Amino acid sequence: MSLLERFDEGEIRALSKIVSLIENREEGYEDTLGHLYRKIGNTVRIGVTGPPGAGKSTIVNRLVHQLLKDDKRVGVVAVDPTSPFTGGALLGDRVRMNEFPIDGSFYFRSMATRGEVGGLASSTDNVAVAYDAFGFDVTLIETVGVGQVELDIIDTCDVVVVAVVPESGDAVQTMKAGLMEIADVFCVNKSDRPGSARIVADLRMSLELGNQSRDWWKVPVVATQAVKGENIDGLLEKILLYLSVARESGEFERHRRQQLEKKLWALLQDQITKEMQDKLSKMARIDQIVDNILNGNSDPFSASRELFQKWTDSVS
Amino acid sequence: MTEQKIRVLLAKPGLDGHDRGIKVIAAAFRDAGFEVIYTGLRQTPQMIVDAAVQEDVDAIGVSILSGAHMTLFPAILDELKERKAEDIILFGGGIIPDDDKAELEKLGVSKIFTPGAPTEEAIQFLKCEVEARKEQ
Amino acid sequence: MYSPEFLKKQKERRLKWEKEAEKFRAKKSLPRFFTVSGVDIDELYTPESIAQSDSDESSFDRIGFPGEYPYTRGVHHTMYRTRLWTMRQFAGMGTPKQTNERFHYILKQGGTGLSTAFDLPTLMGYDSDHPRSLGEVGKCGVAVDTLADMELIFDGINLGDVSTSMTINSPASILLAMYLAVAEKQGVPFEKLRGTLQNDILKEYIAQKEFIFPPVPSLRLITDMMLYCSKHVPQYNTISISGYHIREAGATAVQELAFTLADGFQYVESAIEAGLDVDQFAPRLSHFFNAHSDFFEEIAKYRAARRIWAKRMKNKYGAKNPKSWLMRFHTQTAGCSLTAQQPENNIVRVALQALSGVLGGTQSLHTNSMDETLALPSEKAVLIALRTQQVIAYETGVVNTVDPLAGSYFVEALTDQMEAEAEKYFDEIERRGGVLQCIEEGYFQRELSRAAYAHQRELEKKERIIVGVNEFTMEDEGIDIPVLYIDKQVEKDQSAFVKKVKAERDAEKVKATLEQLRQVARGNGNTFEALLDCSRAYCSVGEMCDVLREEWGEYTETQEAMLPT
């Protein structure tokens, strides 16, 4: 049996192999994805992000509990950073996930960022496609809330939960711009800690004052204690509410279209760039052009215009 | 573009909680450029193999200091067979007498490291072993 | 300690000496001189080294006299001249019957101290027939499921005549309750019972990771027991505050010192909060340290530990009874320092480590067996380990005078430095919100795994030499050490026995006492009393722990605590 046939039969190991294929971008991974794209559309994707120490994996763990109880099939992708110095990664998000059933209703995969700016979004998105095709009802995507990674999550998910803890008060201030914009639901975890009420109030106020670009949705702030499972049902309720409101208002659909469009352009861009590089490196001596710029006989702007012209001429 | 990393699952099966050794190995593997999935303490053979299958790892490394190695290693091997995942390398370390080591390696454990073995030895072992299995 | 004139003259002489010494120093890049813990050591220590101190107290006050505050020189006036340390070899394996035979053997040889190791299922609160116990029963110690096992272990031994130490933590209350139940059956009054319970749960979260319940209810188990024992079992040491395992998990000497004492202070605070008077329980607190390979660093650690403890107990916690100030401790040589390569060398390591424990003033000592990195210790190796202590005690002459190293410029300076470094850690722990908060956020755990990894890298880069491991190695050394195996039959027998006991006991009583335990766990009653009733009714360790698990939950480490750095 081929890998795809085994995948279609619901074999976990086949799913795992396909996820690796996608993650490694091995030979033929686009064709595989092409096959998978034909049978997707039934999974909602929930993203969970936030600063380190916010208890993201515990929140994800509790959400999984809740979802499994509601007879949902759940897949999780947890993304952790790759060390820029060694290329290695320590992926520890699984530590809380081993009490779940192995009957195929739950699946967990750890991924490292592998240092790809922007590329991560497409890898996670592709993996989520595989989950969708495999038949999960919900995909949870957990990422570290640092830098670019947290922003990528919007391009991959239907709804984004941003988790913070009372201690991250100052951090929230500094990351406000980024976090505020991507959150559909805010979660203040470890709410038994001192300062919790304040951060909830601060967030609500910032959200009030901030330019709420969406008139159809008011971002809620939910206080949880994920370790004890407290108010996780409240959190899930808000997530589901967001999804239903978004569906009703047509935003869900619009957002997905937007994501696909973006993906389409990104893929196209990749192809064009590659094609262009191949052709132009045969047609022109890039090193000589650089020399010219360095010598003051040209500049990057005119040089690129000339190269572009050369390429369009060759295409037509 | 193909980018493949060596992926290793590290776990402590059984009840003993001494995790100094496995944490050192985890850090050393990470610094050698591996992707290390660390699952921590008190993992049953079933949990370990289940995680290994989901994570599609090249190898499973376990540490056992409690003397339960002749029960736990074979249980993991059985579980791998059951899940048709015998191609995943199983290696380990801990307090394991020579005779047991020989028997475990005969049963299908790829390698048992002695306490005090340099982490570099484990790193080189995995690189070679993973390479060899890919060529098969 | 010295007059300013003396110090001035001393400085002049030292500077002159330094000039001379320059001629003899290696000209190329100097190697680094540092302890096992990475502390840099000066070329020379002089009176100036111990005259410098930030505190008001003179160095004479800091050093003091043996048996007197602040106990830097030891907890007894005459130390080993009056009484040698207790040679307490920790042992126990297999079935209760095998352990009982061993105990009878020890008693026949004139021993009075019994030391019990329990197997992992017992330590983790599972019965021998639980699926999680598979392969572990009787391996690292004796298996205990119900009172019936405890009765077997102490069969024919009058509990009023012996001192029994029990190495157990999370379910410590249960095992002590069973011990009391045996005494009751023998007709021995509780007041006569002597021994030590390890019962140090905090270091489990930090280092050894054999925990069952979350920290808060775990501390309640401990304070409930302290409350009960201070009234009814006054001679039993209810807790042995342990640095041993913290060191084994990778800590430096200073971390061992600081984290252990911080744990100790946490217990003191919890007990005071629970309504106990400090002088009511503090004399029953004992400590347990590691003896690692850096000879002087270890000695300084023990001396600093006594001084810090005495000062805090007196000044911070207001203890009035001098017995509350003095820190008595047990020492065990460092298992983590032993090598699987050329294992006979371990005999030498153990001897030197044991000597540091003795020179540091330990009250009791366990010497490790040379073969324990290879397998469970064999009888011969255990005997050599004991003989090592006897050689130190009877042949070396180190017992002839009290605290022979006091006044050594180096040892006193290092002791001062240890104390100061430990104080820095206390401040940091407090800044982070205390011991429990530090456990939850993984502060201790990260410090340990960082130190362990740094140590490993030093070995691999040969910045640190371990004989037989990264230098002076031998190819294909034939290791000629007999290996001890635990018969697989032990597990079968023990599982069968617990099933039999469960079938024969009074089921109604079991149900009633477990229900009572559940109610107490939910409310505010004393858990120890409830556990005592359960033990009397032959409830099993697993059944009692299951009730508590259901009521209190099981502890899992936070991700921050669990991951290496």
Side-chain angles (χ1 to χ4, degrees):
Chain A
M1 241 195 311
S2 78
L3 193 57
L4 275 172
E5 281 166 340
R6 283 162 54 203
F7 179 94
D8 290 343
E9 298 262 301
E11 189 192 313
I12 294 277
R13 191 124 206 256
L15 167 62
S16 294
K17 289 283 174 204
I18 282 183
V19 171
S20 296
L21 182 92
I22 291 169
E23 198 187 3
N24 296 333
R25 302 178 184 217
E26 281 166 48
E27 188 82 32
Y29 85 98
E30 291 110 326
D31 294 340
T32 305
L33 275 166
H35 173 88
L36 301 181
Y37 257 100
R38 299 297 188 275
K39 29 184 175 173
I40 62 168
N42 300 313
T43 311
V44 274
R45 299 179 187 177
I46 304 171
V48 179
T49 190
K56 292 181 294 292
S57 27
T58 316
I59 294 170
V60 168
N61 172 289
R62 294 297 170 165
L63 285 173
V64 171
H65 260 289
Q66 197 76 27
L67 289 161
L68 288 173
K69 232 195 286 172
D70 298 342
D71 279 333
K72 301 281 187 239
R73 293 182 69 198
V74 189
V76 180
V77 190
V79 185
D80 275 317
T82 291
S83 156
F85 306 108
T86 66
L90 198 60
L91 310 171
D93 292 313
R94 259 202 111 84
V95 296
R96 295 188 170 278
M97 301 295 165
N98 49 34
E99 71 253 49
F100 295 123
I102 59 154
D103 56 6
S105 60
F106 171 71
Y107 182 86
F108 188 102
R109 183 69 175 233
S110 315
M111 273 175 73
T113 54
R114 298 192 180 174
E116 300 174 52
V117 176
L120 173 72
S122 73
S123 273
T124 352
D125 187 65
N126 290 338
V127 170
V129 167
Y131 279 25
D132 195 337
F134 197 74
F136 290 111
D137 300 305
V138 178
T139 292
L140 282 157
I141 300 175
E142 175 193 341
T143 70
V144 276
V146 187
Q148 184 59 35
V149 181
E150 73 191 18
L151 300 177
D152 286 346
I153 203 168
I154 323 187
D155 296 332
T156 319
C157 296
D158 297 314
V159 51
V160 174
V161 178
V162 172
V164 292
V165 279
E167 287 85 345
S168 44
D170 295 334
V172 172
Q173 290 305 317
T174 52
M175 292 192 293
K176 208 152 75 180
L179 284 174
M180 288 284 170
E181 280 158 26
I182 63 167
D184 299 314
V185 177
F186 256 110
C187 167
V188 175
N189 192 30
K190 305 188 186 178
S191 63
D192 54 329
R193 298 261 179 95
S196 152
R198 224 199 84 197
I199 190 170
V200 171
D202 278 1
L203 281 172
R204 282 194 179 131
M205 191 149 76
S206 310
L207 288 164
E208 288 289 330
L209 295 174
N211 46 341
Q212 287 254 12
S213 51
R214 296 176 276 194
D215 49 9
W216 54 276
W217 178 250
K218 193 164 166 259
V219 177
V221 182
V222 187
T224 60
Q225 280 182 65
V227 171
K228 293 183 188 156
E230 224 151 89
N231 206 23
I232 291 299
D233 47 351
L235 177 63
L236 187 58
E237 196 183 300
K238 292 291 182 204
I239 294 169
L240 297 177
L241 180 69
Y242 173 87
L243 289 169
S244 78
V245 172
R247 273 185 211 277
E248 268 169 39
S249 65
E251 284 297 326
F252 185 91
E253 169 89 22
R254 195 191 60 78
H255 186 51
R256 281 212 167 173
R257 294 188 67 94
Q258 202 179 22
Q259 285 175 342
L260 268 180
E261 205 172 300
K262 199 165 169 185
K263 182 163 186 152
L264 211 51
W265 280 116
L267 285 172
L268 207 53
Q269 205 176 343
D270 280 353
Q271 280 175 51
I272 293 171
T273 310
K274 197 171 168 294
E275 174 88 23
M276 234 173 168
Q277 272 170 348
D278 282 354
K279 271 226 169 103
L280 283 175
S281 56
K282 280 178 204 138
M283 289 158 54
R285 294 278 309 267
I286 302 291
D287 55 340
Q288 277 176 8
I289 298 173
V290 173
D291 280 345
N292 282 340
I293 300 171
L294 282 174
N295 295 337
N297 297 328
S298 176
D299 63 278
F301 302 96
S302 19
S304 72
R305 258 197 311 270
E306 281 159 29
L307 282 169
F308 186 73
Q309 190 59 49
K310 226 177 214 173
W311 181 69
T312 41
D313 290 349
S314 79
V315 175
S316 58
Chain B
M1 179 185 68
T2 301
E3 186 187 8
Q4 264 167 298
K5 297 259 181 187
I6 294 181
R7 279 169 76 87
V8 192
L9 182 109
L10 292 179
K12 268 195 79 73
L15 296 177
D16 108 74
H18 297 93
D19 58 2
R20 172 183 181 158
I22 200 158
K23 280 176 149 179
V24 165
I25 280 288
F29 280 176
R30 174 201 57 203
D31 291 351
F34 297 179
E35 288 181 358
V36 181
I37 293 112
Y38 185 73
T39 60
L41 301 174
R42 312 223 156 81
Q43 303 289 299
T44 62
Q46 194 208 34
M47 286 172 183
I48 290 169
V49 173
D50 194 41
V53 166
Q54 294 191 5
E55 298 287 355
D56 192 31
V57 293
D58 301 296
I60 299 172
V62 299
S63 146
I64 304 170
L65 286 84
S66 69
H69 48 271
M70 294 311 284
T71 307
L72 294 169
F73 274 112
I76 297 170
L77 287 169
D78 285 349
E79 200 73 37
L80 281 170
K81 203 176 274 173
E82 180 122 331
R83 310 285 307 262
K84 294 195 186 70
E86 295 122 299
D87 54 311
I88 298 175
I89 300 160
L90 176 63
F91 68 99
I95 300 177
I96 295 165
D98 275 353
D99 291 351
D100 290 355
K101 197 187 289 181
E103 195 176 332
L104 288 172
E105 290 178 355
K106 214 163 68 196
L107 286 172
V109 178
S110 295
K111 174 111 184 144
I112 304 270
F113 292 95
T114 320
T119 56
E120 192 53 37
E121 195 182 316
I123 291 164
Q124 287 314 324
F125 161 78
L126 268 190
K127 282 183 177 166
C128 294
E129 198 73 4
V130 169
E131 193 59 37
R133 299 217 178 184
K134 288 230 160 99
E135 277 165 16
Q136 271 174 21
Chain C
M1 179 152 155
Y2 303 102
S3 70
E5 289 140 64
F6 173 83
L7 284 173
K8 204 178 147 215
K9 238 186 230 158
Q10 188 62 32
K11 191 176 175 188
E12 282 163 18
R13 288 192 60 179
R14 179 176 54 81
L15 292 173
K16 206 173 136 220
W17 177 88
E18 299 237 345
K19 236 180 221 166
E20 278 302 300
E22 188 55 44
K23 295 177 196 160
F24 300 97
R25 287 193 186 111
K27 292 289 176 281
K28 283 184 202 150
S29 67
L30 275 173
R32 206 183 134 208
F33 292 93
F34 60 110
T35 69
V36 163
S37 304
V39 175
D40 284 295
I41 296 299
D42 293 347
E43 182 176 67
L44 190 74
Y45 288 81
T46 65
E48 295 163 82
S49 317
I50 55 174
Q52 295 162 351
S53 166
D54 299 335
S55 67
D56 300 334
E57 56 190 348
S58 76
S59 25
F60 272 134
D61 290 339
R62 287 206 303 277
I63 299 167
F65 280 86
E68 287 181 9
Y69 183 86
Y71 304 99
T72 310
R73 299 197 62 182
V75 292
H76 298 304
H77 290 79
T78 55
M79 288 302 286
Y80 307 134
R81 286 170 71 104
T82 307
R83 207 181 133 221
L84 286 173
W85 64 91
T86 308
M87 298 174 194
R88 197 190 282 277
Q89 298 297 91
F90 160 87
M93 61 191 67
T95 60
K97 195 163 166 286
Q98 288 166 325
T99 303
N100 178 257
E101 280 160 16
R102 201 188 146 75
F103 281 177
H104 276 288
Y105 171 80
I106 291 169
L107 294 173
K108 223 155 108 198
Q109 305 301 313
T112 52
L114 302 175
S115 179
T116 325
F118 297 93
D119 70 356
L120 276 163
T122 309
L123 296 175
M124 292 302 297
Y126 295 114
D127 289 342
S128 297
D129 57 350
H130 192 282
R132 286 234 158 195
S133 306
L134 205 66
E136 316 259 22
V137 177
K139 285 277 160 65
C140 303
V142 61
V144 173
D145 296 308
T146 66
L147 177 58
D149 298 311
M150 212 58 151
E151 287 166 359
L152 278 173
I153 292 175
F154 295 101
D155 187 37
I157 299 168
N158 186 309
L159 297 191
D161 297 339
V162 293
S163 146
T164 307
S165 85
M166 294 193 271
T167 302
I168 187 137
N169 296 284
S170 218
S173 290
I174 294 173
L175 275 293
L176 182 65
M178 287 184 177
Y179 189 77
L180 297 191
V182 173
E184 213 165 51
K185 289 202 149 188
Q186 291 186 349
V188 176
F190 290 174
E191 302 86 66
K192 282 184 74 181
L193 297 177
R194 286 175 301 119
T196 304
L197 203 59
Q198 191 163 84
N199 197 24
D200 173 7
I201 194 66
L202 293 173
K203 65 98 172 49
E204 295 297 332
Y205 300 119
I206 295 173
Q208 193 171 232
K209 315 284 173 81
E210 276 144 23
F211 40 66
I212 305 176
F213 318 111
V216 171
S218 289
L219 282 173
R220 176 180 167 199
L221 276 176
I222 293 171
T223 49
D224 282 356
M225 172 204 293
M226 284 162 93
L227 208 63
Y228 183 90
C229 290
S230 68
K231 282 188 203 132
H232 305 288
V233 203
Q235 292 202 71
Y236 213 90
N237 297 321
T238 44
I239 189 163
S240 171
I241 304 152
S242 307
Y244 185 81
H245 319 80
I246 293 176
R247 190 66 179 277
E248 291 289 301
T252 64
V254 170
Q255 287 169 342
E256 178 195 354
L257 173 66
F259 298 171
T260 310
L261 293 196
D263 286 352
F265 299 137
Q266 177 65 52
Y267 292 123
V268 170
E269 287 172 24
S270 298
I272 291 173
E273 247 170 69
L276 280 154
D277 176 68
V278 64
D279 285 319
Q280 202 183 346
F281 66 86
R284 298 261 57 101
L285 300 177
S286 63
H287 285 75
F288 173 20
F289 289 110
N290 194 299
H292 210 289
S293 295
D294 199 297
F295 193 68
F296 292 106
E297 183 171 57
E298 293 304 284
I299 294 168
K301 179 185 76 186
Y302 307 123
R303 302 175 91 249
R306 275 192 298 266
R307 187 155 77 205
I308 297 169
W309 185 257
K311 282 187 187 170
R312 288 239 168 172
M313 290 308 286
K314 186 177 180 210
N315 302 329
K316 183 164 181 193
Y317 300 112
K320 306 230 161 33
N321 182 353
K323 287 220 162 91
S324 305
W325 304 337
L326 52 89
M327 167 190 276
R328 297 166 297 132
F329 66 90
H330 173 68
T331 303
Q332 181 175 336
T333 56
C336 65
S337 74
L338 304 186
T339 65
Q341 298 75 12
Q342 305 173 34
E344 290 88 349
N345 297 345
N346 292 332
I347 299 174
V348 183
R349 292 190 179 97
V350 168
L352 293 168
Q353 294 166 357
L355 184 60
S356 76
V358 169
L359 290 172
T362 192
Q363 275 57 63
S364 60
L365 183 60
H366 168 105
T367 31
N368 289 40
S369 302
M370 62 165 164
D371 54 357
E372 62 168 56
T373 54
L374 302 167
L376 295 169
S378 64
E379 216 159 287
K380 183 171 181 192
V382 171
L383 190 65
I384 294 173
L386 175 64
R387 293 288 181 260
T388 305
Q389 295 201 39
Q390 290 161 338
V391 169
I392 292 172
Y394 297 102
E395 297 183 18
T396 62
V398 295
V399 299
N400 292 339
T401 187
V402 178
D403 191 24
L405 290 177
S408 149
Y409 305 132
F410 176 40
V411 170
E412 296 299 354
L414 204 53
T415 306
D416 291 349
Q417 190 182 340
M418 282 268 178
E419 183 181 5
E421 296 285 328
E423 289 289 346
K424 277 189 213 157
Y425 267 119
F426 297 148
D427 291 345
E428 178 64 17
I429 293 164
E430 200 171 315
R431 195 186 65 76
R432 288 170 178 270
V435 169
L436 294 185
Q437 182 66 32
C438 285
I439 286 171
E440 197 197 332
E441 69 179 50
Y443 169 68
F444 299 122
Q445 298 90 323
R446 281 198 309 276
E447 286 284 292
L448 300 197
S449 72
R450 189 175 300 142
Y453 189 41
H455 183 82
Q456 181 65 30
R457 296 218 320 217
E458 284 164 6
L459 291 185
E460 295 193 15
K461 286 192 235 150
K462 284 202 185 185
E463 291 167 0
R464 193 185 284 289
I465 299 301
I466 303 289
V467 175
V469 173
N470 62 354
E471 195 71 279
F472 317 114
T473 53
M474 296 198 303
E475 289 292 318
D476 297 324
E477 43 169 321
I479 290 177
D480 187 21
I481 282 183
V483 170
L484 177 86
Y485 282 94
I486 300 289
D487 194 340
K488 279 194 171 159
Q489 195 57 36
V490 166
E491 187 157 312
K492 286 184 194 138
D493 291 351
Q494 193 60 27
S495 302
F497 186 63
V498 64
K499 284 198 173 79
K500 181 169 168 274
V501 172
K502 282 181 181 174
E504 289 171 2
R505 63 191 177 177
D506 181 343
E508 283 305 308
K509 240 187 189 164
V510 168
K511 211 176 138 199
T513 52
L514 286 176
E515 182 51 33
Q516 173 67 15
L517 175 63
R518 187 182 302 280
Q519 293 310 323
V520 169
R522 260 180 219 176
N524 299 316
N526 190 306
T527 49
F528 189 76
E529 287 169 22
L531 290 168
L532 191 52
D533 285 337
C534 291
S535 301
R536 286 170 177 140
Y538 292 85
C539 299
S540 70
V541 173
E543 288 166 335
M544 290 185 248
C545 286
D546 278 346
V547 167
L548 298 179
R549 280 187 189 103
E550 282 156 30
E551 293 305 317
W552 295 339
E554 278 183 85
Y555 181 73
T556 45
E557 281 187 289
T558 59
Q559 208 184 337
E560 297 93 312
M562 180 175 242
L563 291 182
T565 41

